[in-house]
């Protein structure tokens, strides 16, 4: 793969003069090589400048805020400089040969002095009609046009098999490259060695083909996780009597699930079963429906449970019912939850038992509940107690789309509802 | 050739109005509109991938030894322009917000798209007035003048009658009328000023404190009351404070229940889009509907700028003449000079 040797281009530029000398003996020198060579402005300050080069590059990367995809640049640089030390003598000879005018300058042992005085006219340029032998033609290597430092994966995608395959899978590289360190991680991956075993693993789990792309867009780190770990976590979940379909659904719903250790998952599962007081089957149901619970922190969940219990005043069994019906309540924003409950309970006058019966209300948007309730109130149809003849269930209040709500629940046209919205 | 997405993007250019619900920050409104529009523009199928000529070294013939390599040129599609690699075609749409509405208030909020943002500037340079409907309640005072704030005082309000309220409103309107004449910088003893005042076209020339140009009581039923206000250069907090002051004038206290903007310049509440309609499908007809208005705003602004230029020159000449001829009116001329200098400054 080209990318494993992505400093090759850089190396090439450095070694060109050396090669040029060899070719010079043969009768032609690539002017390109000279140009490449002269283009390195940092070389001017040799030797102190050159030693600082890699460091300076790093600083540049940091100060410009450019994420450095080639972050292990320091080592190739060192290698280059070593090669340079060895080839120094031969280089001096080259310059003597090429420019007889600058004897005095080149008598200094220092290299850059000679380098700055090379004029391109003195280089014998090969005629385009000159014939090159087959052997030489093969030896001419064109450096791959890959930039050593870049802030986007676009430069690499045409050259890297891994990235190409990932794009074909539907992985959103544009989103991934904006995350820290993900770009360089992806570039380093080898498709045959790293990626395909994990893809086969996911497929064996039962993750659908269409889900693979979005999954990897969410969690590219699954490609660096070791297979034994992944296998171990899946077998842990299966030992907890999650069915294989459930595991597949969980993995595609919460892509980070398999990146967490078994202890952590065990900890979470134990916590939910204990705190909610649910049976094993119900806990499995809740976790299967919202596998995010196993990935995130426990603290907000604890807080939400306390809010439900102390602030809202739900009883234990009511909370159990709410959670098993709408697990999202556990991860909802505390402030929003409070706002909705406050409105539903205090303004709409819905008792706790009814809210526990229709917990979808707690999951709905506040502005939606508010507008609809005020509209029904204005029409005189806001009756939420089931015994009332014109009873409107909370479920119908929040879950129907606007047009259906207007025609079926409020029994007016959508235009009237909009006109009412503009008086709020 | 312009693709479908580009054509749609070009249509998103102009002014339109949305109805901001209460309790939502205007930034959220702007961002929602922007994301909805971007989603619509980027939802079209991406253009066909570009092809790039690539030279591949392929073994020629059946024996693949190094000497028998041939370079063949082949056209292969490049992935670097793929939408998953290069990202969506459009990353941002300029959405500008007109005169702001704070989170507590609701009502018409003017938004500008693309080049329409320049028209937005023109609109507010022309000192358009805005209509508000304020709902208040007597009997308490809070720290932020709204009914949701912390109550700092309670008072009786049974003594208030509609007559008394209207008396106070008339007084406030009188004071504001005076301020308006002062800030509009026209000589009251001229035909020009008379004509402007008859048409109701008086408006402050430069920056001014909030000025109410109209104020009346729509509904009065203790302890609730509703006011209709027309004003320039206001903030919603100023309006809430106005209710508080009305309460104090009436030997009681009042809080504000609702601030609702029903008109912002030429944008009326009937044409504003409710939050269900903040999608490209509804916004584009709205933008085309307001196209005429936008053009008119731009034209008026150009005219006003030209007039200002002319006026400044005229005033300069007058000022010079008066200083030469009549030393007695020196002071007046000086003030005019100052005014024209200020004009020049504002233009620069």
């Amino acid at each position: 793969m080209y990318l494993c040797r992505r400093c090759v281009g850089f190396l090439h530029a450095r070694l060109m003069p050396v090669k040029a000398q060899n070719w010079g003996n043969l009768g032609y020198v690539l002017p390109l090589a000279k140009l490449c060579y002269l283009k390195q402005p940092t070389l001017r300050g040799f030797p102190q400048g050159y030693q600082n080069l890699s460091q300076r590059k790093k600083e540049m990367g940091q100060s410009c805020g450019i994420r450095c995809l080639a972050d292990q640049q320091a080592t190739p640089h060192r290698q280059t400089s070593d090669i340079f030390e060895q080839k120094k003598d031969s280089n001096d000879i080259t310059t003597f040969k090429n420019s007889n005018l600058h004897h005095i300058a080149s008598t200094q042992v220092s290299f850059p002095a000679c380098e700055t005085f090379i004029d391109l006219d003195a280089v014998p340029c090969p005629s385009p009609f000159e014939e090159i032998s087959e052997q030489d033609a093969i030896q001419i290597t064109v450096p791959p046009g890959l930039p050593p430092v870049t802030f986007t994966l676009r430069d690499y995608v045409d050259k890297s098999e891994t990235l190409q395959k990932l794009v074909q899978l539907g992985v959103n590289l544009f989103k991934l490259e904006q995350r820290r360190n993900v770009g360089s991680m992806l570039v380093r991956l080898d498709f045959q060695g790293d990626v395909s075993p994990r893809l086969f693993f996911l497929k064996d789990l039962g993750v659908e083909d269409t889900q693979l792309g979005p999954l990897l867009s969410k969690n590219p780190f699954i490609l660096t996780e070791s297979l034994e770990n992944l296998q171990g976590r899946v077998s842990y979940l299966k030992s907890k009597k999650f069915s294989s379909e459930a595991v597949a659904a969980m993995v595609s719903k919460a892509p980070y699930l398999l990146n967490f250790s078994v202890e952590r998952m065990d900890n979470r599962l134990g916590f939910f079963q204990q705190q909610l007081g649910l049976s094993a089957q119900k806990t499995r149901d809740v976790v299967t429906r919202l596998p995010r619970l196993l990935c995130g922190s426990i603290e907000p969940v604890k807080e939400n449970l306390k809010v439900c219990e102390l602030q809202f005043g739900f009883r234990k069994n009511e909370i159990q019912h709410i959670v098993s019906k709408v697990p999202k309540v556990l991860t909802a924003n505390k402030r929003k939850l409070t706002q909705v409950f406050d409105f539903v309970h205090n303004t709409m006058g819905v008792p706790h038992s009814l809210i526990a019966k229709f917990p979808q209300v707690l999951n709905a948007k506040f502005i939606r509940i508010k507008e609809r309730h005020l509209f029904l109130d204005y029409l005189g149809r806001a009756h939420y107690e089931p015994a009332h003849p014109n009873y409107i269930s909370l479920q119908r209040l929040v879950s129907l789309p606007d047009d259906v709500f207007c025609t079926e629940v409020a029994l007016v046209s959508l235009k009237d509802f909009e006109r009412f919205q503009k008086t709020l | 050739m312009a693709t479908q997405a580009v054509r749609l993007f070009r249509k998103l250019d102009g002014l339109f109005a949305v109805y901001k619900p209460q309790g939502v920050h205007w930034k959220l409104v702007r961002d929602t509109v922007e994301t909805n529009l971007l989603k619509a523009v980027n939802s079209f199928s991406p253009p066909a991938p570009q092809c790039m000529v690539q030279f591949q070294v392929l073994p020629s013939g059946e024996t693949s030894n190094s000497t028998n390599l041939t370079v063949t040129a082949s056209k292969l599609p490049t992935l670097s322009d793929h939408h998953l690699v290069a990202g969506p075609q459009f990353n941002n749409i300029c959405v500008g917000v007109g005169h702001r509405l704070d989170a507590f208030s609701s009502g018409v909020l003017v938004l500008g798209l693309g080049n329409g943002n320049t028209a937005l500037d023109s609109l507010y340079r022309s000192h358009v007035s805005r209509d508000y409907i304020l709902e208040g309640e007597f009997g308490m005072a809070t720290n932020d003048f709204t009914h949701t704030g912390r109550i700092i005082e309670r008072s009786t309000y049974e003594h208030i009658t509609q007559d008394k309220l209207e008396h106070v409103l008339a007084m406030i309107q009188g004071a504001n009328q005076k301020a308006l004449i002062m800030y509009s910088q026209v000589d009251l003893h001229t035909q020009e000023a008379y004509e402007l005042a008859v048409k109701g076209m008086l408006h402050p020339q430069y920056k001014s404190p909030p000025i109410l140009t109209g104020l009346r009581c729509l509904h009065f039923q203790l302890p609730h009351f509703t006011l209709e206000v027309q004003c320039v250069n206001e903030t919603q907090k100023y309006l809430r404070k106005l209710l508080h002051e009305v309460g104090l004038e009436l030997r009681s206290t009042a809080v504000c229940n609702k601030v609702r903007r029903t008109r912002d310049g030429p944008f009326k509440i009937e044409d504003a889009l409710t939050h269900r309609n903040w999608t490209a499908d509804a916004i584009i007809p709205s933008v085309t509907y307001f196209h005429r208005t936008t053009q008119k705003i731009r034209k008026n602004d150009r005219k006003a700028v030209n007039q200002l230029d002319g006026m400044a020159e005229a005033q300069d000449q007058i000022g010079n003449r008066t200083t030469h001829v009549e030393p007695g009116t020196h002071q007046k001329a000086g003030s005019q000079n100052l005014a024209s200098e200020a004009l020049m400054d504002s233009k620069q």
Side-chain angles (χ1 to χ4, degrees), chain A residues 7-230:
Chain A
C7 293
V8 166
F10 204 66
L11 261 165
H12 266 295
R14 292 299 155 71
L15 294 177
M16 275 305 183
V18 183
K19 276 191 185 159
Q21 183 230 338
N22 298 336
W23 288 332
N25 292 340
L26 290 170
Y28 48 86
V29 174
L30 282 176
L32 170 74
K34 285 287 168 198
L35 280 172
C36 285
Y37 180 46
L38 283 173
K39 259 198 280 183
Q40 306 295 327
T42 34
L43 272 176
R44 297 277 156 89
F46 194 81
Q48 328 88 296
Y50 192 70
Q51 279 157 359
N52 293 334
L53 184 67
S54 56
Q55 198 191 342
R56 208 185 295 169
K57 266 270 158 81
K58 262 189 199 165
E59 284 167 8
M60 246 166 64
Q62 279 164 4
S63 63
C64 301
I66 293 171
R67 272 156 294 142
C68 205
L69 288 179
D71 43 4
Q72 349 90 312
Q73 252 188 351
T75 35
H77 273 284
R78 196 73 8 242
Q79 286 166 7
T80 335
S81 64
D82 289 342
I83 294 164
F84 249 108
E85 295 296 329
Q86 291 164 9
K87 302 279 179 175
K88 214 172 183 182
D89 302 346
S90 57
N91 262 316
D92 279 344
I93 298 163
T94 330
T95 43
F96 279 139
K97 263 188 190 165
N98 286 342
S99 53
N100 297 325
L101 297 169
H102 305 297
H103 278 294
I104 309 149
S106 49
T107 44
Q108 298 166 10
V109 191
S110 74
F111 173 68
C114 327
E115 181 263 316
T116 47
F117 287 124
I118 290 173
D119 57 342
L120 290 171
D121 295 340
V123 180
C125 196
S127 152
F129 300 108
E130 205 167 331
E131 280 196 13
I132 310 173
S133 69
E134 293 278 299
Q135 295 291 337
D136 296 332
I138 284 167
Q139 273 175 10
I140 297 174
T141 47
V142 181
L146 292 179
V149 178
T150 177
F151 48 89
T152 162
L153 287 174
R154 284 180 76 171
D155 302 328
Y156 294 140
V157 80
D158 275 326
K159 298 285 159 54
S160 154
E161 193 200 349
T162 321
L163 295 183
Q164 278 173 8
K165 291 274 165 62
L166 286 179
V167 170
Q168 282 157 9
L169 265 178
V171 178
N172 197 338
L173 292 185
F174 176 73
K175 263 194 188 154
L176 285 181
E177 76 189 12
Q178 289 167 353
R179 289 163 62 177
R180 256 186 118 80
N181 298 331
V182 173
S184 46
M185 183 206 80
L186 285 179
V187 161
R188 260 181 247 139
L189 288 176
D190 173 36
F191 188 78
Q192 290 307 329
D194 301 326
V195 182
S196 56
R198 284 165 187 82
L199 288 180
F200 279 124
F201 170 77
L202 287 175
K203 236 178 121 38
D204 288 345
L205 261 187
V207 179
E208 282 174 34
D209 295 354
T210 48
Q211 290 292 318
L212 282 175
L215 189 146
L216 291 179
S217 309
K218 280 262 168 61
N219 179 16
F221 300 107
I222 206 165
L223 297 176
T224 52
E225 199 72 30
S226 81
L227 270 177
E228 295 95 69
N229 277 349
L230 295 177

